[in-house]
Amino acid sequence: MLPTVIIVGAILLVAAAIWLWRLRRMTAVPHPSPTNESSPRDPVSTEFLAPERRDDTATKPSAATASTAHKRSAEQKLPLLGPRGDSQRRNSEKPTRTDTSSGALVVEPTTPPGPVAQEEVTSKGANSSDTKWEAEPAPDSRLRDTFATGTRKKLDVVVHNPTLESLPEDTSFTVMAPTTDPPVEPGDTSRNIGSPARTEGEFPEVRASEAGLQPEMSQPLVDESEACASSETRDRGHARASNGDSISTTKAPNDSSGPTNTQPNPSANRPATAKVTEIAGRSDNLGPPSDEQLAKKKRTATRYQPAARTPKTTRRRKRTAPVLKSSPDRKTNRARSLSMSVHVSFGRRNRCKVSLLPSRALDMPESVEVKQAGGLETWDALQDEWYSNVLPVDLGAALRRGRVWELADTSEDTAWSFSGRDICVLAQGSTISGYVSVPRLMLGEDHVVLCTKQSLEAVQDALRAAGCSMSDPKSGGGIPSGWCMLSGVRPTVAVAHDSEAGIINILRPIQDVEITLRHGIRLSHSKWLCGHPPTIGVRGHGELHVDVLIDEQPARLDESGGFVSSGWDDRGIHTVFCGGQTQAYEIVEGASSWQPFQSFTYRPTQGRAPKHEIVICGPIVDVIGDTENALLTPSTNSLLLGAVPGQIASSSAPYDSLNREYLALADFPVVWTAPPNALRCDKSNACVRLIQFEEAENGRDVPTGTSREDVLRWCQAILDASRKRLPVTPHSDSTLELWLGYKKVARRLWRKLR
Amino acid sequence: MNPNDLLLWLSAKGSGSWARYRSAVDELQSLDEPSNADQDLDDGVPESGSLPVHLRLRLNLERLGHVEFFRDDFPDGWRIVPPTLACDDTGLQAVLCGARTDSLIRQVEDAIDGVSMQRSTQRECPDVIHVVVEEERHMQRVAAAADLYLQPRAVSQLLAAVPPIDDMQMRTPAELPFGTEWDASEFIAEKLGWISVEADKARAADSGLFRFHIHFQPHYFVKLRGRSFRIPVQVGKYLMLRKARQRVTTYDRDAMVFAVPVACRPPLLIDRALTLCTGRVPEVDKGHLIYRNVGNDKAIAVRALLRQ
């Protein structure tokens, strides 16, 4: 009995010692030091308002304060938020509690170096705040002294981030902050983070990759569905304050509507914290994220829930960002992470080809050079949205572990990332043939599922639960090693998602409405040729009835199976709304004027000067140079005559030509062709041929630009043909009359100049 | 697959890269074909000839003078030809070539009284549009009204402008590729086919037409008296046929039908000229390409150019 008590006591002592050690470690977390003035870490992007005021009305800034709160540039703003790694790590270690006065979840500092206040940071909404966020205290020099007093106050946070448009206006979050307000001078905008002059397109997107993370770390650990969903959340996450100033902040996905959970659930609030620290991660001194951070990201993504969407809140804004990006003075060091999709195409004998399909942004060039493990590789644009397929040697491993391709051009921090996974869901692409990876199974649609052999059983179970008809799993024959493929997967039953299920959720179709724009003649991204608009469809709604609005007008199904409304195919931008989804398209005119070009260029083979070149473009045959004229002439008629006396040229047919006609060149508009020596030609075969109808110039003297000898030659050629009585073709009165006029001019000039 | 839509797309874009062309074909094809049919059409199971669908479409678009591919100004792409009325020798009938839009076709229809437009379909080609007028001068008025280029006697002009196959302009001096990774083959005129040869043997040959393959990309070279030239494959074949004194073309004067073996398709511009005689791509019959409505003088010209 006694030894047992001793052992238990020893264990308790050891446990207590460990607990104390850990407590000391926690309290030993580096905290902003008042002496660390030059440290760039952890500045806070907050503006202090009236100190010691706790009521909500006091938290709302005056108009003057609010206006000054937005004058700070992004460059000033971004470093204000601490490094991602440190802040996240510390946040994860801090205990939380619920603020009894407001119900907000706040972070308790474990061992502040001095009395630390909690400051509620309230967005500029009009209503009372329910959503509480947490941010880090900052070692800003103006704040360091305030750590001494330990009071609690409201902060007005202006964080520029286009991710949270749908955030309720009354969202607030709590920030650990110094207790004593630093002296804020009227008009001091040094702590303001936003600039009202910014357009929304100027706001850089906040992504993990932009935060300077390693590409492997920056890529989402969930499939593209969640990435897209997050992207959509970011798109609509740009809020505007009531005074017209833009406010961007971050918000937990599950906080998208209504009051937020005020329970001290760290995981529920972590997304918001993670988002904030993503912004914070934009500072330069970042370390690689820890596994814990990555785990947080994963958990965050799986909890995504779409916000309530209406035609107005989901309306797409005009894309201005790419244009701004391309301007030289907008060059920044922003990191950009682009997605890499899986592409499966079927070939002969149902052999499939699995590859990766890099996405292409609007402002990206036709060809890019990309760094990868094997060296540099060039990707050419396949179409507007895609670069050409990428086929890594170890595709199976790449699918399983993920991979990153970085742009070789180091001036742009751009990378394509593919997150590793065990299951890929693909559906028929709307812009490319074959199957392209999609976020999850869609009801009633035909899919292909790629999965590792280890996860095959779980996949088949999940597909059965979704009422899928499917083929037997196949492997080999173009499928990456270690993987197998299930084709003909068509789910019929919606299955609720479960956060514990992880990646299996992508095999659980939900009532996920998607607006499809197919057919028509698509010129680029979302532009269709006028007169050939897209067929607007909706998929993913199963048998449920859905209301479709086009330009906010109710749409109806036409005989072709597409939704239409009045003016839906007129020129301009149109918006389709259905089931919380919005899709925009534009009807534009294509090119309407085209110019000939030099497609084929040949030198004449009959010995003309090499400067003359014949140009062919489609059926058009022309000669380079404005003064050149090419005409078909019988091989017997090598003498070319113009309308001006003295315009005469001799063009010989190719020596080996068997053709009856050849292409003759002249520097003047040719009116007639005649045999070179009319008096000696065979009258039965020879003729004078009219090329174009033009009266002879009836001058009294030698025309300008011609010589007397040329005029005499011109006259002699006409008179000889006349003396020989060569037939004139085509046989018509007008032709004969024209020929007589030429004879008269020639005879008169011959008599005068002889 | 709707080639009319493809031509509208090409016209609206004006020019582009080969990849964009392929993706457009791919996109239109994926939209218009049932998903199962994709498998047959997509991956080189041709319905006619031995070319995949995007190459067949390219060939037909070039034959009909709608689009030019891979020229000096755009070595990796294509460009649409301006809309042109390619007239026949009478000047009373023309084929509408080049760019095409809905409004342009309406303009042609409404240009003047007395003009008629005959539209006919053909496989894997945009519709053929013939413009027929009662007098020759009406064609000029149609062209002016619809802002079209006019090419009188288009076929004869083309045939007169193209050098014969043995002209130096039809080939470019170039060294044969070196290295061991090339697959080489030689054209045999008697069999009208290719046989594999060792690359070193091809390099050492005094004459012959050789195909060097690498990464599924063929390169054609002709060797004449020990000198090597890069050459279009059709031109090279007819050079070898001439060297072997072998005639492969046939002409039926009464039926006005000109025929060549499928393996000996004429060089592009001659092919275009023969196609524009009717505005329809040649039919394939018993291993021969059949060009119709080819006049005697044109047949003589073609044979002269091909040295047949």
Side-chain angles (χ1 to χ4, degrees):
Chain A
M1 186 64 185
L2 186 61
T4 307
V5 171
I6 292 170
I7 291 170
V8 170
I11 292 172
L12 287 173
L13 279 172
V14 170
I18 292 172
W19 182 80
L20 282 171
W21 177 75
R22 292 192 61 180
L23 187 64
R24 291 189 65 180
R25 277 197 65 191
M26 290 173 69
T27 58
V29 170
H31 200 279
S33 167
T35 59
N36 191 17
E37 191 168 353
S38 61
S39 169
R41 296 175 54 218
D42 293 341
V44 150
S45 58
T46 57
E47 178 186 1
F48 286 89
L49 299 178
E52 311 300 329
R53 295 171 67 179
R54 291 285 315 276
D55 56 315
D56 283 339
T57 54
T59 65
K60 292 174 184 171
S62 65
T65 312
S67 64
T68 57
H70 300 287
K71 290 178 182 172
R72 184 163 183 164
S73 66
E75 289 74 18
Q76 290 170 312
K77 171 199 66 170
L78 295 176
L80 292 176
L81 297 162
R84 171 195 174 90
D86 289 346
S87 60
Q88 267 198 334
R89 198 174 303 120
R90 284 199 297 277
N91 272 346
S92 66
E93 291 170 357
K94 285 176 183 172
T96 58
R97 66 172 177 80
T98 305
D99 184 6
T100 53
S101 61
S102 61
L105 182 68
V106 296
V107 177
E108 291 289 353
T110 51
T111 52
V116 176
Q118 294 174 344
E119 298 189 6
E120 288 182 6
V121 183
T122 309
S123 71
K124 293 178 186 284
N127 302 326
S128 62
S129 169
D130 282 324
T131 307
K132 301 296 180 184
W133 288 21
E134 298 178 5
E136 276 292 306
D140 190 306
S141 59
R142 302 190 185 195
L143 304 181
R144 63 190 181 197
D145 296 331
T146 65
F147 279 90
T149 58
T151 55
R152 184 186 175 99
K153 64 197 68 176
K154 297 274 184 177
L155 296 181
D156 185 15
V157 170
V158 185
V159 182
H160 269 297
N161 179 357
T163 62
L164 293 175
E165 188 176 56
S166 61
L167 187 69
E169 290 183 329
D170 55 354
T171 300
S172 69
F173 52 94
T174 305
V175 178
M176 301 305 298
T179 54
T180 302
D181 289 323
V184 179
E185 298 296 328
D188 180 6
T189 59
S190 60
R191 290 166 192 264
N192 300 337
I193 317 171
S195 169
R198 277 171 166 262
T199 63
E200 68 184 32
E202 286 178 288
F203 293 111
E205 291 182 19
V206 176
R207 296 187 183 181
S209 58
E210 290 177 345
L213 300 177
Q214 296 297 322
E216 292 83 355
M217 302 304 181
S218 65
Q219 63 188 358
L221 292 183
V222 293
D223 63 352
E224 281 81 4
S225 62
E226 306 305 335
C228 293
S230 302
S231 174
E232 288 179 8
T233 308
R234 284 195 294 272
D235 286 344
R236 63 173 186 271
H238 181 204
R240 287 207 173 269
S242 57
N243 62 357
D245 294 330
S246 60
I247 295 179
S248 294
T249 179
T250 56
K251 180 174 174 57
N254 51 1
D255 290 339
S256 58
S257 62
T260 55
N261 180 15
T262 57
Q263 297 300 316
N265 178 5
S267 63
N269 284 276
R270 194 169 291 128
T273 306
K275 289 285 188 183
V276 170
T277 49
E278 270 189 25
I279 304 170
R282 296 164 72 96
S283 63
D284 293 329
N285 52 348
L286 286 172
S290 63
D291 293 339
E292 187 183 3
Q293 289 169 333
L294 295 176
K296 282 180 192 174
K297 288 180 60 133
K298 190 169 186 175
R299 285 195 299 273
T300 302
T302 52
R303 287 195 187 90
Y304 171 76
Q305 289 178 359
R309 306 186 73 174
T310 65
K312 291 194 175 179
T313 59
T314 57
R315 182 181 300 154
R316 293 201 173 184
R317 289 173 293 278
K318 193 174 179 181
R319 290 182 184 181
T320 54
V323 177
L324 291 171
K325 280 178 204 164
S326 60
S327 62
D329 52 347
R330 266 297 293 177
K331 281 281 182 186
T332 64
N333 290 327
R334 287 182 52 203
R336 178 156 63 166
S337 181
L338 297 166
S339 67
M340 182 77 88
S341 299
V342 184
H343 183 219
V344 172
S345 57
F346 290 94
R348 230 182 319 197
R349 292 183 291 278
N350 220 21
R351 181 183 171 84
C352 74
K353 178 185 169 190
V354 182
S355 58
L356 297 173
L357 201 58
S359 63
R360 178 174 175 235
L362 189 65
D363 59 331
M364 298 197 72
E366 286 273 333
S367 180
V368 292
E369 207 165 35
V370 177
K371 281 190 285 189
Q372 60 157 355
L376 293 179
E377 188 177 271
T378 302
W379 293 351
D380 294 321
L382 186 63
Q383 54 189 51
D384 289 327
E385 302 90 346
W386 308 109
Y387 282 104
S388 50
N389 295 65
V390 176
L391 191 60
V393 178
D394 52 345
L395 180 59
L399 291 175
R400 209 161 33 243
R401 297 179 198 143
R403 189 157 295 179
V404 171
W405 293 258
E406 288 180 319
L407 202 62
D409 182 5
T410 53
S411 63
E412 288 187 46
D413 192 1
T414 301
W416 285 261
S417 58
F418 179 79
S419 54
R421 65 200 71 182
D422 288 336
I423 306 168
C424 299
V425 175
L426 302 96
Q428 284 184 27
S430 57
T431 60
I432 191 167
S433 69
Y435 292 79
V436 181
S437 51
V438 291
R440 64 180 69 84
L441 289 179
M442 289 171 284
L443 287 173
E445 294 292 320
D446 187 34
H447 296 84
V448 164
V449 175
L450 281 171
C451 65
T452 56
K453 290 180 178 173
Q454 292 84 353
S455 59
L456 177 61
E457 196 173 334
V459 167
Q460 286 179 315
D461 290 343
L463 293 180
R464 279 187 211 102
C468 293
S469 56
M470 59 188 146
S471 65
D472 292 333
K474 294 175 189 169
S475 57
I479 300 167
S481 62
W483 289 72
C484 51
M485 187 177 75
L486 296 158
S487 57
V489 176
R490 186 183 290 268
T492 56
V493 180
V495 182
H497 282 198
D498 179 7
S499 58
E500 302 295 324
I503 190 73
I504 291 294
N505 277 327
I506 71 171
L507 301 173
R508 295 176 170 176
I510 56 175
Q511 297 287 358
D512 195 5
V513 173
E514 185 188 352
I515 298 165
T516 59
L517 303 174
R518 310 187 80 185
H519 300 280
I521 297 180
R522 193 171 68 106
L523 297 181
S524 65
H525 288 90
S526 59
K527 292 180 181 175
W528 268 260
L529 183 64
C530 189
H532 303 270
T535 302
I536 300 169
V538 175
R539 68 180 181 182
H541 58 94
E543 300 300 320
L544 294 176
H545 171 74
V546 289
D547 291 325
V548 178
L549 303 178
I550 300 176
D551 298 332
E552 301 188 20
Q553 297 177 21
R556 58 179 171 76
L557 274 173
D558 70 351
E559 58 274 8
S560 67
F563 287 95
V564 296
S565 71
S566 64
W568 72 285
D569 55 352
D570 292 344
R571 262 175 287 179
I573 299 174
H574 304 274
T575 307
V576 187
F577 174 79
C578 177
Q581 303 287 331
T582 296
Q583 183 75 45
Y585 65 95
E586 186 175 1
I587 305 294
V588 297
E589 291 282 1
S592 57
S593 67
W594 307 267
Q595 295 300 320
F597 52 93
Q598 297 180 20
S599 182
F600 296 86
T601 306
Y602 296 117
R603 292 185 306 277
T605 56
Q606 58 265 31
R608 288 275 297 184
K611 66 173 184 176
H612 300 101
E613 287 187 324
I614 299 169
V615 177
I616 300 172
C617 172
I620 301 172
V621 178
D622 204 352
V623 180
I624 292 179
D626 295 334
T627 59
E628 294 293 334
N629 290 276
L631 69 153
L632 275 177
T633 182
S635 52
T636 55
N637 287 22
S638 59
L639 204 59
L640 314 176
L641 302 170
V644 179
Q647 283 185 338
I648 183 169
S650 181
S651 173
S652 59
Y655 68 94
D656 56 348
S657 174
L658 300 175
N659 299 355
R660 292 181 181 175
E661 291 177 313
Y662 74 99
L663 205 61
L665 304 178
D667 296 330
F668 53 87
V670 178
V671 180
W672 302 98
T673 62
N677 192 342
L679 294 176
R680 293 185 182 178
C681 69
D682 183 359
K683 193 176 173 182
S684 60
N685 294 331
C687 67
V688 175
R689 181 184 288 266
L690 177 68
I691 303 300
Q692 61 177 330
F693 198 95
E694 189 174 343
E695 297 279 354
E697 191 176 293
N698 195 4
R700 298 272 176 192
D701 207 346
V702 177
T704 309
T706 58
S707 63
R708 178 176 175 275
E709 288 73 24
D710 284 344
V711 174
L712 285 172
R713 280 180 62 214
W714 184 84
C715 296
Q716 188 176 12
I718 293 173
L719 294 173
D720 285 352
S722 178
R723 286 187 200 108
K724 186 75 174 182
R725 298 182 186 276
L726 292 178
V728 179
T729 57
H731 302 288
S732 66
D733 293 339
S734 59
T735 309
L736 283 175
E737 192 177 341
L738 184 70
W739 177 244
L740 285 174
Y742 272 76
K743 278 203 296 186
K744 285 179 184 173
V745 173
R747 190 173 294 121
R748 181 171 48 76
L749 284 172
W750 176 260
R751 287 173 182 163
K752 184 176 179 183
L753 299 175
R754 188 171 48 154
Chain B
M1 182 65 216
N2 187 344
N4 287 317
D5 288 348
L6 180 64
L7 182 55
L8 289 174
W9 182 87
L10 293 164
S11 304
K13 299 289 280 186
S15 62
S17 65
W18 172 248
R20 300 292 287 276
Y21 163 78
R22 281 208 60 178
S23 68
V25 174
D26 192 49
E27 186 174 340
L28 293 170
Q29 180 180 310
S30 69
L31 294 176
D32 288 351
E33 296 290 339
S35 59
N36 292 333
D38 268 358
Q39 301 171 13
D40 296 334
L41 277 177
D42 184 43
D43 200 11
V45 183
E47 295 184 345
S48 63
S50 59
L51 298 171
V53 64
H54 63 275
L55 289 181
R56 297 202 300 272
L57 282 166
R58 174 208 156 179
L59 177 60
N60 289 341
L61 287 167
E62 282 189 310
R63 276 172 167 164
L64 290 164
H66 292 305
V67 188
E68 300 280 13
F69 285 85
F70 306 135
R71 303 263 60 91
D72 292 343
D73 290 345
F74 38 96
D76 298 322
W78 54 270
R79 195 164 167 187
I80 195 83
V81 171
T84 309
L85 288 173
C87 301
D88 65 1
D89 284 352
T90 66
L92 301 179
Q93 187 168 332
V95 179
L96 180 60
C97 302
R100 196 179 284 184
T101 64
D102 295 333
S103 59
L104 186 139
I105 292 171
R106 281 195 296 272
Q107 282 177 0
V108 174
E109 281 177 325
D110 303 337
I112 57 167
D113 293 335
V115 61
S116 67
M117 210 169 71
Q118 299 167 358
R119 190 165 187 156
S120 56
T121 60
Q122 57 180 335
R123 192 178 184 185
E124 294 181 347
C125 292
D127 290 351
V128 183
I129 295 179
H130 281 104
V131 177
V132 182
V133 294
E134 294 169 352
E135 294 181 38
E136 190 176 350
R137 57 191 169 89
H138 287 175
M139 197 66 83
Q140 293 177 353
R141 289 172 59 191
V142 171
D147 198 15
L148 304 174
Y149 286 84
L150 183 71
Q151 180 58 58
R153 306 187 65 196
V155 175
S156 300
Q157 291 259 25
L158 272 175
L159 293 175
V162 178
I165 50 127
D166 53 357
D167 192 276
M168 278 296 290
Q169 298 179 74
M170 303 298 278
R171 54 183 186 262
T172 311
E175 291 299 319
L176 266 60
F178 61 91
T180 56
E181 68 273 21
W182 295 88
D183 295 327
S185 46
E186 182 178 7
F187 179 75
I188 304 299
E190 290 76 16
K191 296 180 180 178
L192 300 182
W194 298 87
I195 60 164
S196 292
V197 294
E198 291 181 8
D200 287 339
K201 184 185 171 189
R203 293 184 190 106
D206 187 60
S207 64
L209 176 65
F210 299 97
R211 180 175 65 190
F212 281 73
H213 251 115
I214 191 166
H215 299 151
F216 305 102
Q217 183 72 34
H219 301 266
Y220 296 95
F221 298 88
V222 66
K223 292 203 78 172
L224 300 171
R225 296 178 185 176
R227 295 178 63 195
S228 58
F229 302 87
R230 188 180 287 273
I231 195 167
V233 60
Q234 295 89 2
V235 178
K237 283 181 179 178
Y238 277 98
L239 263 183
M240 292 301 106
L241 290 170
R242 186 196 185 196
K243 192 174 173 65
R245 299 179 186 277
Q246 187 173 348
R247 292 196 170 187
V248 294
T249 60
T250 55
Y251 179 65
D252 184 341
R253 183 184 296 184
D254 297 332
M256 298 175 72
V257 169
F258 190 88
V260 295
V262 169
C264 296
R265 180 167 58 85
L268 174 60
L269 290 178
I270 299 174
D271 194 9
R272 180 178 293 167
L274 291 169
T275 302
L276 287 178
C277 289
T278 56
R280 304 187 71 85
V281 294
E283 306 159 20
V284 179
D285 183 28
K286 297 176 183 174
H288 279 73
L289 295 172
I290 308 296
Y291 298 91
R292 299 192 180 278
N293 197 30
V294 180
N296 185 43
D297 53 339
K298 295 181 181 62
I300 293 172
V302 169
R303 277 185 162 169
L305 292 172
L306 297 176
R307 301 298 191 215
Q308 283 285 299

